[in-house]
Amino acid sequence: MLRVVCMALMNVIPVVTTIFGAAYAVQAAYGIGFQKDVYLWIPVLGNILAVLVIPFVGNLSDRIGRRPPIIVGALGAGLLSFAYLYAISIHNVPLAIVMSLLMWGFVYQGYNAIFPSFYPELFQTRTRVSAMAISQNVGTTITALLPALFATVAPPGAANIPLTIGAITFAITIIAALAAMSARETFRIQMKDLGQPGATPLDKQEYERLRALSFGAAGVAAE
């Protein structure tokens, strides 16, 4: 559960993009002066891109595992937060939009596309839903407090806002990545063995065979 709490801190990326980033860009006190109607396209475009990216990342996780996309997504999105906030600080609207799409719409989906599968796979059946729900919501609650922290450490008129907020964001994503690293890999574990510390992954060839059969069965059912 502690691992899931730490991984759920990845909600820092949407917070930086759509809450602090929006306030930084459009509030008169910060002096950036982005137009609200232009800036509000960022979450719309980000979600459109995410819808296109998620199926590919999900399929990738069935081939290489759940942890690698989460780790890369966490560290990559954390690093891109510096570039995103810097683009806002230099009043460059196109660059800010591109950086937000890259950070949130693309790289962050390494985490966002995988966690709905990975979290429940970490728990045994008898505790799965409650353990996942409690720990995920604890992590989400912590990130919901971050706008207050950001406003405190980077108020209007503060120096080096992109560096300050970017450093906090990156530190949090490092915590999420380390939690994913410490977790068991689950993508080749049979359902009956999920959550068991000593579960043995299926042989790769057997896993691929069963995966192909499941897709074939799904295709027949759809027809």
Side-chain angles (χ1 to χ4, degrees):
M1 289 179 68
L2 180 59
R3 287 188 180 97
V4 173
V5 169
C6 292
M7 285 187 282
L9 296 178
M10 274 301 296
N11 285 300
V12 66
I13 298 300
V15 167
V16 167
T17 307
T18 63
I19 300 178
F20 179 80
Y24 183 39
V26 306
Q27 283 187 3
Y30 282 103
I32 302 297
F34 283 14
Q35 294 296 317
K36 292 180 181 178
D37 56 347
V38 172
Y39 194 84
L40 289 175
W41 273 100
I42 285 180
V44 175
L45 295 174
N47 282 319
I48 291 172
L49 180 57
V51 168
L52 299 175
V53 170
I54 283 173
F56 293 97
V57 179
N59 183 60
L60 179 65
S61 78
D62 282 341
R63 296 186 177 279
I64 67 171
R66 312 290 191 229
R67 295 188 303 170
I70 290 178
I71 293 167
V72 172
L75 297 178
L79 285 171
L80 284 167
S81 68
F82 289 101
Y84 167 64
L85 294 167
Y86 174 74
I88 295 175
S89 73
I90 62 173
H91 306 250
N92 191 323
V93 176
L95 183 60
I97 292 175
V98 169
M99 287 297 101
S100 72
L101 291 177
L102 185 60
M103 177 180 69
W104 181 26
F106 186 75
V107 177
Y108 170 70
Q109 301 312 314
Y111 162 80
N112 195 44
I114 307 304
F115 85 83
S117 297
F118 190 46
Y119 288 180
E121 289 173 349
L122 293 172
F123 300 103
Q124 298 178 28
T125 305
R126 63 187 179 85
T127 60
R128 182 166 296 151
V129 175
S130 56
M132 178 187 69
I134 292 169
S135 48
Q136 183 182 355
N137 280 287
V138 169
T140 302
T141 300
I142 293 171
T143 57
L145 302 174
L146 289 175
L149 172 64
F150 291 163
T152 300
V153 300
N160 299 319
I161 289 177
L163 183 61
T164 301
I165 303 302
I168 295 172
T169 301
F170 187 45
I172 292 171
T173 60
I174 288 174
I175 293 172
L178 290 173
M181 284 179 169
S182 72
R184 298 184 298 273
E185 186 54 83
T186 60
F187 79 115
R188 285 197 282 128
I189 302 296
Q190 297 187 75
M191 289 186 66
K192 64 182 179 66
D193 295 329
L194 288 173
Q196 302 292 341
T200 302
L202 285 171
D203 176 80
K204 185 175 181 180
Q205 289 184 339
E206 177 65 9
Y207 170 76
E208 292 292 347
R209 185 185 71 82
L210 293 174
R211 186 170 183 269
L213 284 174
S214 68
F215 276 106
V220 171
E223 293 175 1

